[in-house]
Amino acid sequence: MSGITYGYMEQYIKNLIPENEGILKEMEEYAIQNSVPIIQKETAKFLELMVSIKKPDSILELGTAIGYSAILMSMVTKKSSKIVTIERDLNMIDRAKENINKYGFDRSIEIIHGDCMDILENMEGKYDIIFMDAGKGHYNHFLPNCLRLLDKDGIIIADNVLFRGMVASKELVKRRKITIVKRMRSYLELVSKDEELITSVIPMGDGIAVTKRRNS
Ligand code: SAH
Ligand code: MG
């Protein structure tokens, strides 16, 4: 149980999604064996859908890990979008590079090594989709730079925003996680209450928040 929705509901929705084959399947197996927190099955499907609707020229990802979600998004756009992805862990970067090169995504996916906090500060350009999936305790700090880097019609998709349900329920909060939980609540309040933004929080996977500018 994820603490987000009913176990039976989660299982039913997961079971509707066909198994991946080939490269995605290989990466999923590696992630399970090595406890790498790649996006959940239904979150992956949602991301595919958003990328397919949005047809982005450029995507910014926070948190590469082994390159699973970056490769997934690149597959949807048939490598036609430019994906920049930030990761601070060099072991993860080695693994991601291996996957990216092995499957020929090296022209469409660029990895930047560093902490999102520092890297975002110095980034330029505009992105059609920003996928936030690193540093759960800092989404609220990343937000101003993400909004600066977001195209006028761009969307921010943030993963893990309900954090095993802890964000929504005092009873579920583990003492060690209280800071992350408080900051995640602050992120969700920021994006929900800002009148310039439209945000929808979806209790799927570990919780997803989709944000867009309310262009008037
Ligand atoms: N998006 C990936 C999973 C990312 S897991 C996928 O679904 O395939 C989160 C990753 O973010 C981890 O690899 C972790 O090392 C990295 N990370 C955590 N905090 C970070 C930070 N502040 N800056 C950069 N990377 C960070
Ligand atoms: Mg995640």
Side-chain angles (χ1 to χ4, degrees), residues 2-106:
S2 62
I4 306 290
T5 179
Y6 300 108
Y8 70 85
M9 191 69 73
E10 197 178 306
Q11 212 46 56
Y12 178 75
I13 294 172
K14 276 190 206 291
N15 288 344
L16 284 174
I17 303 170
E19 288 254 322
N20 283 312
E21 288 168 15
I23 111 180
L24 293 175
K25 174 105 185 143
E26 264 179 47
M27 281 190 280
E28 285 162 16
E29 280 167 0
Y30 179 91
I32 293 171
Q33 280 158 16
N34 297 278
S35 311
V36 180
I38 62 168
I39 41 171
Q40 300 191 26
K41 220 176 162 193
E42 61 274 42
T43 309
K45 197 49 76 184
F46 181 76
L47 203 56
E48 276 186 66
L49 176 67
M50 296 307 270
V51 172
S52 174
I53 293 173
K54 188 81 186 108
K55 300 183 175 60
D57 291 328
S58 53
I59 299 174
L60 172 61
E61 175 179 73
L62 316 190
T64 317
I66 59 171
Y68 180 81
S69 50
I71 289 176
L72 177 87
M73 292 191 282
S74 193
M75 285 171 84
V76 179
T77 66
K78 301 200 168 59
K79 302 183 183 174
S80 72
S81 54
K82 172 77 191 162
I83 303 181
V84 176
T85 175
I86 307 169
E87 174 59 57
R88 68 176 176 196
D89 180 333
L90 280 170
N91 292 323
M92 286 292 177
I93 291 186
D94 281 348
R95 193 64 219 181
K97 281 199 171 144
E98 216 173 279
N99 289 326
I100 286 166
N101 293 335
K102 182 166 154 197
Y103 299 113
F105 289 90
D106 44 315

Side-chain angles (χ1 to χ4, degrees), residues 30-208:
Y30 179 91
I32 293 171
Q33 280 158 16
N34 297 278
S35 311
V36 180
I38 62 168
I39 41 171
Q40 300 191 26
K41 220 176 162 193
E42 61 274 42
T43 309
K45 197 49 76 184
F46 181 76
L47 203 56
E48 276 186 66
L49 176 67
M50 296 307 270
V51 172
S52 174
I53 293 173
K54 188 81 186 108
K55 300 183 175 60
D57 291 328
S58 53
I59 299 174
L60 172 61
E61 175 179 73
L62 316 190
T64 317
I66 59 171
Y68 180 81
S69 50
I71 289 176
L72 177 87
M73 292 191 282
S74 193
M75 285 171 84
V76 179
T77 66
K78 301 200 168 59
K79 302 183 183 174
S80 72
S81 54
K82 172 77 191 162
I83 303 181
V84 176
T85 175
I86 307 169
E87 174 59 57
R88 68 176 176 196
D89 180 333
L90 280 170
N91 292 323
M92 286 292 177
I93 291 186
D94 281 348
R95 193 64 219 181
K97 281 199 171 144
E98 216 173 279
N99 289 326
I100 286 166
N101 293 335
K102 182 166 154 197
Y103 299 113
F105 289 90
D106 44 315
R107 280 165 171 236
S108 45
I109 303 174
E110 179 196 343
I111 303 175
I112 300 181
H113 173 229
D115 195 297
C116 293
M117 199 79 101
D118 312 320
I119 303 292
L120 286 171
E121 200 73 53
N122 298 304
M123 278 184 85
E124 301 286 340
K126 294 287 179 193
Y127 293 87
D128 301 306
I129 292 181
I130 299 181
F131 179 47
M132 261 195 218
D133 195 21
K136 284 188 272 292
H138 296 285
Y139 285 12
N140 55 340
H141 304 130
F142 299 157
L143 183 64
N145 277 313
C146 286
L147 287 172
R148 179 177 62 79
L149 294 165
L150 191 68
D151 180 73
K152 183 171 156 291
D153 293 312
I155 52 176
I156 299 177
I157 303 169
D159 189 27
N160 308 103
V161 295
L162 296 175
F163 195 29
R164 298 174 217 156
M166 288 186 233
V167 169
S169 164
K170 265 198 196 119
E171 276 90 80
L172 294 174
V173 179
K174 302 246 164 51
R175 194 183 274 279
R176 288 178 292 122
K177 306 289 185 191
I178 189 71
T179 306
I180 294 183
V181 168
K182 280 187 179 158
R183 290 181 182 166
M184 194 58 96
R185 285 184 188 142
S186 142
Y187 175 78
L188 289 176
E189 278 164 30
L190 281 171
V191 291
S192 301
K193 290 183 180 156
D194 189 327
E195 289 182 359
E196 308 263 297
L197 303 174
I198 307 175
T199 294
S200 177
V201 179
I202 308 166
M204 173 200 275
D206 197 29
I208 305 170

